[in-house]
Amino acid sequence: MTKKAATNATVDPAVVTKEIEEMVATGRKSLQDAFINGTEAAEKAFKSNSETFKTNYEKAVAEGKTGFEKAIKTLEGSQFYDKNSAEAFVKASNAAVEKSEKIGAAMIDYGTGRLQEVFNVAKTIAETEDVTKVVELQTEFARSSMQSYVSEMGKFNALVTDAAKSVVEPFGAQYAANLDMFSKQA
């Protein structure tokens, strides 16, 4: 074919447009599949790591309790151990361990739940081809995330307040007992 014949050849715009649309659709599908596969791999890794973290956390709390109990038993044999004074400390320490365990578990549950929601939304968005629907999904996720955050912070606040009261309470009772004993001696 001569140069002049190649220049005079006609190109059908509809054919070119169709070829470009097919390439874009194929590329988009490949990207969606890659993103979904990556999200699923990240989700599996996260679940595995979070389960390991939870197990290690629970083990550390249990070992901490055991260590504390051993320390108290060791102190009980000491001539400097005052059972009345130590009792408030033991009660407060046990309350602190119990309440911190609840707070820690609640924080872990909240964090893992939020991340699971992120994975779910990411997969849904990747599978959605309508841009308007994607914006709706993101808007709904942002709204529900904020509502969940506010709700959970209220729960955490209640847990921390309860923990503080539980830890201080034994000392208050000990203080009152000491004050009563002192006033009787005076």
Side-chain angles (χ1 to χ4, degrees), residues 24-101:
V24 168
T26 301
R28 183 178 61 225
K29 181 66 178 150
S30 296
L31 285 173
Q32 283 176 326
D33 291 344
F35 184 77
I36 290 169
N37 290 336
T39 302
E40 288 171 353
E43 183 179 13
K44 285 179 186 175
F46 169 74
K47 283 181 179 179
S48 172
N49 289 336
S50 65
E51 288 303 316
T52 301
F53 179 78
K54 282 181 184 180
T55 300
N56 290 338
Y57 174 77
E58 290 167 359
K59 183 179 175 184
V61 168
E63 288 174 359
K65 285 179 184 178
T66 302
F68 179 73
E69 290 167 1
K70 286 179 182 178
I72 293 300
K73 288 199 185 300
T74 302
L75 289 175
E76 285 177 354
S78 169
Q79 66 184 14
F80 301 107
Y81 181 78
D82 177 14
K83 183 175 176 137
N84 292 333
S85 297
E87 200 170 289
F89 176 72
V90 170
K91 285 180 181 177
S93 297
N94 285 334
V97 168
E98 177 190 327
K99 300 300 181 174
S100 65
E101 185 178 4

